[in-house]
Amino acid sequence: MKIVKKILIVLLVVFAIAQFFGPEKNTGDIATVQPFLTETNPPEDVTAILKETCFDCHSNHTRYPWYNTITPINYWLAEHVNDGKKHFNVSVWNDYSAKKKGHKLEELIEMVEEKEMPLDSYLWTHQEANLTDAQIESVINWAKNMRVIYSLVPRPE
């Protein structure tokens, strides 16, 4: 019994010390999403959906929940954000070629259509991001229209 108590005390001390450490936060300027919004010109309802369900993990600005101050949860969230930005980052939209923009929208369509995005783990604490069928249809229609536009952009030779 004494050994279990000692182990619990050590674990508690390690947990307390760990709280002083954490990953770098994704706290860039929210204005970095504006070129994406300006260029793709989503309707108001789609803009609201993107802001509520996508930008936390797919831009250089994340709105962190209170529990992000708890280690190791903050590392888990940081990994989600970094992975999301690796696949699709609206804050660097202007760095993408027209072909890549079309491909990113194709991936967006596929992930939203198959209800793989937003992630279930995001929905656990962000019920407002749980998209209705009508919202999914709006996002997909907007993205498909934008893909057509990017497919018409002449490619450099």
Side-chain angles (χ1 to χ4, degrees):
M1 188 68 159
K2 285 185 180 185
I3 190 79
V4 172
K5 189 176 181 179
K6 285 182 182 181
I7 290 172
L8 288 174
I9 290 171
V10 168
L11 288 175
L12 183 60
V13 169
V14 168
F15 180 77
I17 291 170
Q19 300 315 302
F20 293 101
F21 303 94
E24 186 176 332
K25 289 190 175 185
N26 187 42
T27 57
D29 191 347
I30 188 64
T32 60
V33 303
Q34 196 54 51
F36 168 78
L37 293 173
T38 300
E39 184 174 311
T40 60
N41 195 26
E44 275 186 45
D45 64 325
V46 173
T47 299
I49 293 166
L50 294 170
K51 286 180 179 179
E52 196 63 49
T53 64
C54 304
F55 291 171
D56 278 343
C57 295
H58 296 285
S59 78
N60 290 341
H61 177 80
T62 300
R63 299 168 299 149
Y64 287 99
W66 67 268
Y67 51 83
N68 185 63
T69 59
I70 301 169
T71 300
I73 294 171
N74 50 10
Y75 282 95
W76 179 67
L77 290 174
E79 178 58 31
H80 274 271
V81 170
N82 290 335
D83 190 52
K85 287 171 50 176
K86 180 178 71 177
H87 291 285
F88 181 52
N89 185 348
V90 298
S91 292
V92 296
W93 188 252
N94 286 342
D95 296 343
Y96 295 159
S97 66
K99 180 179 179 181
K100 189 169 185 175
K101 289 175 181 179
H103 179 70
K104 293 296 179 185
L105 290 170
E106 179 182 6
E107 289 175 338
L108 180 149
I109 292 164
E110 180 181 320
M111 298 301 278
V112 171
E113 207 165 41
E114 293 177 8
K115 297 185 179 182
E116 291 182 33
M117 283 290 149
L119 294 175
D120 288 338
S121 58
Y122 187 77
L123 295 174
W124 295 338
T125 55
H126 298 86
Q127 284 300 306
E128 70 282 358
N130 199 357
L131 300 177
T132 65
D133 290 340
Q135 289 173 313
I136 290 170
E137 185 179 345
S138 293
V139 170
I140 290 171
N141 288 339
W142 159 78
K144 283 180 177 179
N145 289 336
M146 287 310 305
R147 278 200 66 230
V148 169
I149 291 168
Y150 288 120
S151 72
L152 299 174
V153 173
R155 304 229 161 93
E157 294 184 33

